[in-house]
């Protein structure tokens, strides 16, 4: 686990989009996001107090989280001096970038000298077991998508917020780098070795109180030729009690695969439920989460109403409308 | 690629079953299997000339293949002296065991001193790409099973033999350790990192002549909670033109999962074809391969006849009957 609270490292972000990891933490874990650190030329701003590394330590901050990605997802040379000073001052560093903190000699040396930890959340640090398929106590819900990047993480984390607001027991279980940085823990599933994928998901979602919900972050899509195996492992390792179907209605082809069209929601429902029933015969589809960011308010409302009439399930954009109706649909 | 021909290292095998990798090479690549090496107490015999390591080198043999697995799949201390002498004599060593040759200090030192190669086929040595889903030239067939260990590898390699006997262009593409040792190359798919599984299968089955068949070794099962993600990646990375359904009729539960029953062949067909159609809309089920080892000849014949009438597809035990009718069914 990454120790909170955080100072969000925005570096020399070229624009706000480059700092989307920081924005995710700011939005979803405001209690963790205490300060920001910006280099000259930074074009992102989380609206948090700007602090030096020394000021952050004095304010009780434990970890610098790299909240920015430059082109290529690399650790920039321009960042090293500031990051090194964070270790010297007494903080850990966490990063989800492709280049590893642990491959940066200066940071490794400083972390060892000052007894600090470098968290590279892109790679697993646990020897996950092979899945045993045993039924676990507690409830689990998983979002499965018609494609990658259709809003599965957003849906899950919005459902967690809604459930906490209602005083329900719920835990967002991160399976990707951004989710891990936002919540401080999880499994970087796309970097797990094939034989242990489903076991890693079992590890992430252990026995729990009967009325506790794990809200598992989805990955990929059963219909995405590059990543479908990861999605399959989430379904079989997660043993979901409920599925949320996730879709982006303006997508013209599968992400990164120009020759592939998206499946229909019916096709997704059929295959995902069939596979979920292997590990949990009672699994049901609770609702449909639609990312309507590219539709106007009127278009979104019309689309959601039409979809809801067609499928007989709550059809919701959790960003526009909140996740309340999806939570209502959990049994 | 592992250099042939081989001397099969049988070590101190407690019984013939412990030497099943050696038996597989002996059966399927008799041209590679030139000699065997046995330690005192060895209870396996491939019927090959027993040679010392020096005699093997003199006979033109290039590689010692560890053809034995002791309990736990480890490299035994009792083997080290003989294996070291093989490196000194001028041969490489190949192993599919869990413990790596490259973790045995004496073997590493000897291989470096004598310029030899240690092949640990359990771990990937290639940085596989992320799958791009692009259509490739040539044909591909994949066996998918109702469970793990129902005869998928045997089916594939028997089909390759039959196709070669007919003068057809065909290549068995190994995706597991035994298959890699038998054929000298392949992808150890269960050890590939999640994001690159489907890409590794694309890498293994590249563009080829229009009339060439890749016969891809299956792994796991779409219905096996521990390994279904690996199977999914084989289907989406392999883009099969044809599927063979594989089944073992006396299996009472999924291998290693006592609480799980096997799917029906209809269920397997439905899900596997649906998923294959994502990457290849023309994919069809060519036939059904049944492992009848636990049935009598009469029981097997009756079972296969009943199944064939029910499914309208060739239903064959390639061990008892050869793979001819499965090959006939490829379009």
């Amino acid at each position: 686990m990454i120790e909170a609270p955080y100072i969000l490292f925005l570096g020399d972000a070229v624009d706000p989009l480059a700092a989307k990891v920081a924005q995710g933490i700011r939005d979803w874990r405001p209690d963790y996001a205490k300060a920001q650190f910006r280099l000259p030329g930074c074009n992102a701003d989380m609206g948090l107090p700007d602090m030096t590394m020394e000021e952050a330590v004095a304010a009780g901050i434990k970890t610098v989280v790299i909240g920015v990605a430059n082109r290529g997802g690399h650790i920039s040379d321009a960042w090293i001096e500031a990051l090194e000073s964070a270790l010297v001052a007494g903080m850990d560093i966490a990063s989800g970038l492709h280049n590893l903190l642990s491959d940066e000699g200066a940071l490794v040396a400083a972390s060892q000298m000052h007894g600090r930890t470098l968290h590279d959340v892109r790679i697993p640090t646990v020897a996950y077991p092979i899945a045993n398929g045993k039924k676990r106590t507690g409830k689990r819900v998983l979002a499965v998508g018609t494609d990658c990047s259709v809003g599965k993480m957003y849906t899950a984390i919005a459902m967690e917020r809604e459930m906490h607001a209602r005083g329900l027991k719920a835990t967002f279980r991160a399976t990707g780098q951004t989710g891990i940085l936002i919540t401080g823990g999880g499994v970087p599933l796309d970097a797990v070795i094939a034989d242990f994928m489903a076991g890693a998901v079992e590890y992430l979602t252990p026995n729990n109180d009967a009325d506790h919900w794990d809200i598992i972050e989805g990955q990929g899509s059963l219909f995405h030729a590059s990543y479908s195996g990861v999605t399959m492992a989430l379904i079989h390792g997660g043993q979901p009690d409920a599925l949320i179907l996730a879709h982006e209605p303006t997508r013209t082809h599968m992400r990164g695969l120009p020759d592939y069209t998206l499946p229909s929601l019916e096709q997704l429902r059929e295959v995902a439920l069939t596979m979920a029933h292997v590990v949990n015969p009672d699994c049901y589809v609770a609702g449909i989460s639609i990312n309507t960011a590219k539709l106007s308010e009127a278009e979104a409302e019309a689309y959601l109403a039409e979809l809801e009439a067609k499928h007989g399930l709550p059809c919701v954009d959790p960003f526009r409308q909140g996740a309340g109706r999806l939570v209502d649909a959990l049994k």
Side-chain angles (χ1 to χ4, degrees), chain A residues 16-57:
Chain A
L17 195 64
K20 70 175 182 173
V21 168
Q23 191 66 52
I25 299 171
R26 177 81 175 93
D27 289 347
W28 295 108
R29 290 292 185 271
D31 291 354
Y32 292 6
K34 292 292 185 200
Q36 63 187 17
F37 183 96
R38 297 188 289 174
L39 290 168
C42 180
N43 290 316
D45 184 356
M46 298 297 127
L48 295 168
D50 285 289
M51 291 190 189
T52 65
M53 297 304 182
E54 293 71 21
E55 288 167 344
V57 171

Side-chain angles (χ1 to χ4, degrees), chain A residues 34-86:
Chain A
K34 292 292 185 200
Q36 63 187 17
F37 183 96
R38 297 188 289 174
L39 290 168
C42 180
N43 290 316
D45 184 356
M46 298 297 127
L48 295 168
D50 285 289
M51 291 190 189
T52 65
M53 297 304 182
E54 293 71 21
E55 288 167 344
V57 171
I61 290 172
K62 304 294 186 191
T63 305
V64 180
V65 175
I66 312 282
V68 57
N70 49 21
R71 198 178 294 269
H74 296 315
I75 295 164
S76 163
D77 287 345
W79 302 352
I80 297 291
E81 187 183 330
L83 294 176
E84 201 176 338
S85 74

Side-chain angles (χ1 to χ4, degrees), chain A residues 209-270:
Chain A
D209 296 346
D211 59 345
H212 176 278
W213 282 89
D214 273 334
I215 308 169
I216 307 171
E217 182 189 357
Q219 295 293 338
S221 165
L222 287 173
F223 290 82
H224 195 291
S226 312
Y227 307 119
S228 54
V230 180
T231 314
M232 186 65 119
L234 272 163
I235 295 176
H236 281 170
Q239 293 184 358
D241 298 277
L243 296 174
I244 305 289
L245 308 184
H247 181 57
E248 202 283 80
T250 71
R251 196 71 62 87
T252 54
H253 62 76
M254 296 296 278
R255 188 174 165 89
L257 304 176
D259 299 336
Y260 287 79
T261 55
L262 274 68
S264 68
L265 284 161
E266 289 84 352
Q267 287 174 302
L268 172 63
R269 178 195 174 111
E270 171 67 25

Side-chain angles (χ1 to χ4, degrees), chain A residues 135-148:
Chain A
K135 181 76 184 159
R136 308 190 289 288
T137 53
K139 301 273 193 181
R140 286 157 198 89
V141 56
L142 170 69
V144 292
T146 52
D147 192 3
C148 303

Side-chain angles (χ1 to χ4, degrees), chain A residues 29 135-143 156-157 159-164 166-174 204-217 238-244 280 282-287 326-331:
Chain A
R29 290 292 185 271
K135 181 76 184 159
R136 308 190 289 288
T137 53
K139 301 273 193 181
R140 286 157 198 89
V141 56
L142 170 69
I157 208 161
M159 287 178 74
E160 185 205 43
R161 174 172 287 182
E162 174 70 20
M163 292 175 86
H164 286 175
R166 297 185 188 187
L168 300 172
K169 296 179 195 167
T171 309
F172 169 74
R173 299 296 190 183
L204 181 68
T205 60
N207 283 323
N208 216 317
D209 296 346
D211 59 345
H212 176 278
W213 282 89
D214 273 334
I215 308 169
I216 307 171
E217 182 189 357
Q239 293 184 358
D241 298 277
L243 296 174
I244 305 289
N280 188 346
D282 299 325
C283 183
Y284 56 94
V285 173
L326 297 177
V327 171
D328 293 342
L330 297 178
K331 294 172 191 164

Side-chain angles (χ1 to χ4, degrees), chain A residues 4 7 10-12 29 33 37 57 103 106 117 123 159 182 197 241 281 311 320:
Chain A
I7 179 169
L10 307 183
D12 44 3
R29 290 292 185 271
F37 183 96
V57 171
D103 286 336
T117 302
I123 50 168
M159 287 178 74
I182 288 175
M197 294 185 298
D241 298 277
H311 292 279
R320 287 184 192 256

